Amino acid sequence: MDAMKKKRGRRMYHLEAALEYLISILVAGSYLATLTKAIGLSDGLTGILSSVISLGCLFQLFSVALRPKRVKRTVVVLSVLNQLLFMLLYVIPQIRISAELKAVIFVVCIIGAYMLYYLAHPKKIAWMMSMVEEGHRGSFTANKEIISLISGMVFSFGMGAIIDRFEAVGNLRGAFILSGIVIFLLMVLHTLSMLLTPEAPGFDRPEKEHRRNLAGFLKNKNLLHVMVVFILYYVSTYVATPFYGTYQIGELGFSLTFVSILTILSSVVRVLVSRAWGRYADRHSFAFMIEKCLLLLAAGYVCTAVAVPSNGRVTFALYFIFHGIAQGGINSALTNMIFDYVPDGERSDSLAVCQAAAGSLGFAATLSVTPLVSFIQQSGNTVVGLPLYAQQVMSGIAFLLVIVAVIYVRLFLLNKNSAKSVK
């Protein structure tokens, strides 16, 4: 592929990632809660639905078995179908059918949408990252995240304000119609960005060769080490962060406005540091970068581990700062470490397996610690006689897991043998 086509591909990748991120905003968080409330889903069912969505990484295992003759065409078709289902979520509340049937259709649509998304995701990443030169993946990924984050903050603020106005005059139907139209327009632009991205040669490999690649997965020790880091990071995240929302609003007494300010603070910090992380990774390695990022994430968990009502605003502000700095490099490092240690034809399968394993174990971690959270709360927020909130304990566990991840990176990914990447 010539240099001009690759340059165009990189620009389209920046645009594609930003547009996809904007669509994801409209089907998550408070937007999702507004939809589920409108169709009559209980808070409990909404929580379960959100947990099921977090298992989406498991769907990537099906991507391993997907062997399209043309990767680009398959990714485009799956993405369009995925986004049409997302748009349909805003149509369902307006259909004149029973509430029970609405709920069933809604659940089927959202799970189907995420299944299609994760089916295409590994192959899309491998295809589009093939436009990026090996020595510049860190800087490129950082710039891509910066563009997505900034556009996301502006978009979220604008859409939130518009929808609030609709709700203030009792016109929720109008808000849903507008949101559906916005998703459709974003889908059209997103599809165009992919169509304008050049086809990547070398991805269409014979079935037997793919099976050999997958069979060789377990023989690639560096890749297995990366998967362990994936798992430790996901498990530490799912042990603690799912319980922070109720802690902030409940025991710590934060207003929703203050929580929004903290989220924006984290995004701004992440934007400011992403490019520096990218340059650092290009100069040294993604393994060195993730070690530093994990140490900063551990510092964030120390802050939440000591957070109580008297100091909660300060400690959680520090957590969001540390978390933002760490996130400026972690996601990029995890993906790019896989790209460091496997050749082109194996990258999408390797990414799918790593994320599927980490996502499923992370979800299992949430389920396993939930009884402990309930037990501590029912015990009057005491542990062996010490006054501790359940979320403080979870933060302590997350801290220990992150430290284990740091030690693992140091022992198995920063030695002289595993620091070499596949060219």
Side-chain angles (χ1 to χ4, degrees):
M1 188 186 303
D2 61 53
M4 289 301 295
K5 283 187 176 180
K6 281 194 170 185
K7 185 176 181 180
R8 188 184 79 208
R10 291 192 294 270
R11 289 176 176 173
M12 289 300 103
Y13 191 13
H14 281 149
L15 179 61
E16 181 276 334
L19 292 168
E20 185 176 78
Y21 180 59
L22 299 186
I23 293 173
S24 71
I25 289 174
L26 289 177
V27 293
S30 59
Y31 295 95
L32 177 61
T34 302
L35 282 168
T36 56
K37 183 179 179 181
I39 63 175
L41 293 183
S42 66
D43 290 347
L45 186 55
T46 300
I48 292 172
L49 185 59
S50 298
S51 298
V52 170
I53 293 170
S54 72
L55 277 174
C57 290
L58 276 177
F59 298 142
Q60 294 191 65
L61 288 178
F62 295 103
S63 179
V64 176
L66 184 64
R67 304 299 175 212
K69 292 183 178 179
R70 296 184 63 182
V71 171
K72 175 179 175 178
R73 180 173 60 188
T74 302
V75 169
V76 170
V77 170
L78 291 174
S79 296
V80 170
L81 293 174
N82 147 245
Q83 290 161 8
L84 283 174
L85 287 176
F86 278 148
M87 185 183 70
L88 188 58
L89 297 179
Y90 281 95
V91 177
I92 293 171
Q94 304 173 61
I95 302 175
R96 294 183 179 180
I97 54 177
S98 67
E100 292 79 8
L101 188 55
K102 280 185 182 180
V104 171
I105 296 174
F106 187 89
V107 171
V108 170
C109 284
I110 196 167
I111 292 178
Y114 277 101
M115 181 178 289
L116 291 168
Y117 171 80
Y118 284 109
L119 189 62
H121 182 70
K123 287 178 169 51
K124 186 196 74 175
I125 296 298
W127 160 39
M128 293 200 163
M129 284 298 289
S130 68
M131 309 291 161
V132 185
E133 301 297 331
E134 289 293 328
H136 301 280
R137 282 191 277 111
S139 298
F140 175 83
T141 306
N143 290 334
K144 176 171 67 70
E145 288 197 357
I146 288 171
I147 293 170
S148 295
L149 286 168
I150 292 176
S151 59
M153 282 188 284
V154 175
F155 177 79
S156 182
F157 180 81
M159 282 298 297
I162 293 171
I163 291 175
D164 282 344
R165 287 190 178 184
F166 274 101
E167 286 191 281
V169 297
N171 187 13
L172 192 58
R173 182 175 182 273
F176 287 165
I177 292 174
L178 174 64
S179 299
I181 292 172
V182 170
I183 289 179
F184 178 78
L185 294 175
L186 291 172
M187 179 193 73
V188 171
L189 294 174
H190 181 259
T191 303
L192 286 174
S193 71
M194 290 190 293
L195 291 174
L196 292 173
T197 303
E199 195 90 46
F203 281 83
D204 306 326
R205 297 172 180 262
E207 182 73 18
K208 289 183 179 179
E209 184 174 345
H210 276 293
R211 285 202 293 265
R212 286 198 298 270
N213 289 342
L214 205 54
F217 182 93
L218 296 177
K219 297 179 181 178
N220 188 334
K221 292 183 179 179
N222 287 329
L223 184 56
L224 290 176
H225 292 324
V226 173
M227 185 168 70
V228 172
V229 178
F230 254 94
I231 291 170
L232 288 170
Y233 166 68
Y234 270 66
V235 171
S236 66
T237 299
Y238 280 95
V239 159
T241 56
F243 305 102
Y244 284 169
T246 56
Y247 190 47
Q248 293 167 10
I249 301 300
E251 290 88 343
L252 299 182
F254 294 172
S255 66
L256 290 175
T257 300
F258 185 69
V259 173
S260 298
I261 291 172
L262 292 178
T263 303
I264 293 173
L265 172 64
S266 181
S267 296
V268 170
V269 170
R270 184 173 173 179
V271 166
L272 294 175
V273 303
S274 288
R275 189 168 298 188
W277 278 131
R279 289 195 298 266
Y280 181 85
D282 289 337
R283 285 198 305 268
H284 302 283
S285 74
F286 289 100
F288 274 103
M289 181 175 79
I290 200 167
E291 181 198 32
K292 308 301 184 295
C293 291
L294 289 172
L295 285 171
L296 288 162
L297 184 62
Y301 285 130
V302 170
C303 295
T304 53
V306 299
V308 292
S310 61
N311 64 16
R313 285 177 173 266
V314 174
T315 51
F316 258 89
L318 290 172
Y319 163 75
F320 273 93
I321 290 172
F322 281 122
H323 187 266
I325 298 173
Q327 287 298 318
I330 286 177
N331 291 329
S332 170
L334 289 173
T335 300
N336 280 293
M337 280 196 299
I338 292 176
F339 284 30
D340 276 345
Y341 299 130
V342 297
D344 287 348
E346 302 174 34
R347 287 175 173 177
S348 64
D349 288 351
S350 300
L351 180 62
V353 172
C354 286
Q355 290 190 330
S360 58
L361 289 174
F363 178 71
T366 301
L367 294 180
S368 64
V369 299
T370 298
L372 177 58
V373 171
S374 299
F375 175 77
I376 294 172
Q377 291 175 335
Q378 291 168 4
S379 301
N381 293 312
T382 59
V383 179
V384 294
L386 298 175
L388 285 173
Y389 290 101
Q391 287 83 353
Q392 290 180 278
V393 177
M394 296 304 104
S395 296
I397 295 173
F399 168 80
L400 293 175
L401 288 168
V402 173
I403 293 301
V404 170
V406 171
I407 295 171
Y408 193 90
V409 170
R410 171 63 60 178
L411 292 177
F412 297 105
L413 288 172
L414 295 183
N415 62 50
K416 59 182 180 181
N417 294 323
S418 62
K420 298 177 181 179
S421 62
V422 174
K423 301 297 182 186

